[in-house]
Amino acid sequence: MRRMTWAIGLLAVLALAIAGCGSSGGSTSSESGGGTSEEASGGAYSAKGGGAYGGGETTTAASPEETGAAVVSLGNSPKLGMILVDSEGMTVYDFHKDKGTTSSCYGACAEGWPPVLTEGEPQVGNGASAGKLGTTERKDGTTQVTYAGHPLYLFAGDQKPGEANGNDVSAFGAQWYALKGSGEEAGD
């Protein structure tokens, strides 16, 4: 009986190890298949929701760019109150250097402030206004999400939902601000 218990335990450990390896490989292949925003953000998405041992499946949680349509909703920031966030709960920002819906953030700027991209019509979540949500085409042909006419960006310095470390920051020639559901900039 003791040997059978030991064998069952060993099989469970091996199954978890195999599931972990399979999950990691799947994540690597999907990241290398066009996760440019994820790469530019320093892997901001890779640290969230990617548990290798969830349920019986070996898939990891995907970023909005990988699943298609981006989702914009309201989330709570301890510092700013209710502000716009992406599907991972990460704060989104506007950039004062943008002209209308045309983005001015490319290269090193887009590495620190990855654009919120979508591969379909963006969706609204909790408290965001569908009438304010839109898209704009970037120079590289990708589609960036806009809200109240502002192209939206994430900030590589935000590591977890609720952080708004990029609010009221001057970088790449202009100010960055988190947005309220009304489309107005959040204060500090």
Side-chain angles (χ1 to χ4, degrees):
M1 186 67 166
R2 188 172 194 183
R3 283 186 184 180
M4 182 185 280
T5 304
W6 181 82
I8 292 171
L10 179 60
L11 287 174
V13 169
L14 287 174
L16 287 174
I18 291 169
C21 290
S23 174
S24 180
S27 176
T28 301
S29 65
S30 66
E31 287 172 8
S32 64
T36 55
S37 178
E38 179 175 330
E39 292 163 5
S41 68
Y45 287 113
S46 62
K48 293 182 239 12
Y53 303 112
E57 298 182 27
T58 60
T59 58
T60 59
S63 71
E65 292 82 6
E66 293 172 325
T67 61
V71 177
V72 176
S73 60
L74 285 178
N76 189 32
S77 167
K79 183 177 174 183
L80 301 173
M82 297 302 286
I83 56 172
L84 293 176
V85 298
D86 73 354
S87 63
E88 301 288 328
M90 301 302 287
T91 302
V92 298
Y93 301 88
D94 74 344
F95 183 34
H96 278 203
K97 194 172 181 181
D98 290 344
K99 302 293 183 218
T101 59
T102 303
S103 175
S104 299
C105 185
Y106 292 90
C109 176
E111 289 178 21
W113 301 86
V116 177
L117 302 175
T118 189
E119 292 181 7
E121 288 299 314
Q123 305 295 311
V124 293
N126 176 40
S129 171
K132 296 184 185 308
L133 198 59
T135 61
T136 188
E137 187 173 339
R138 293 178 58 79
K139 289 185 212 177
D140 62 4
T142 58
T143 304
Q144 185 171 3
V145 179
T146 63
Y147 194 85
H150 304 285
L152 299 179
Y153 305 87
L154 299 169
F155 178 49
D158 289 342
Q159 299 300 308
K160 60 184 178 184
E163 289 186 342
N165 298 318
N167 191 61
D168 196 17
V169 168
S170 180
F172 297 98
Q175 294 294 117
W176 298 84
Y177 289 97
L179 296 173
K180 298 177 183 180
S182 64
E184 295 176 17
E185 294 173 341
D188 337 82

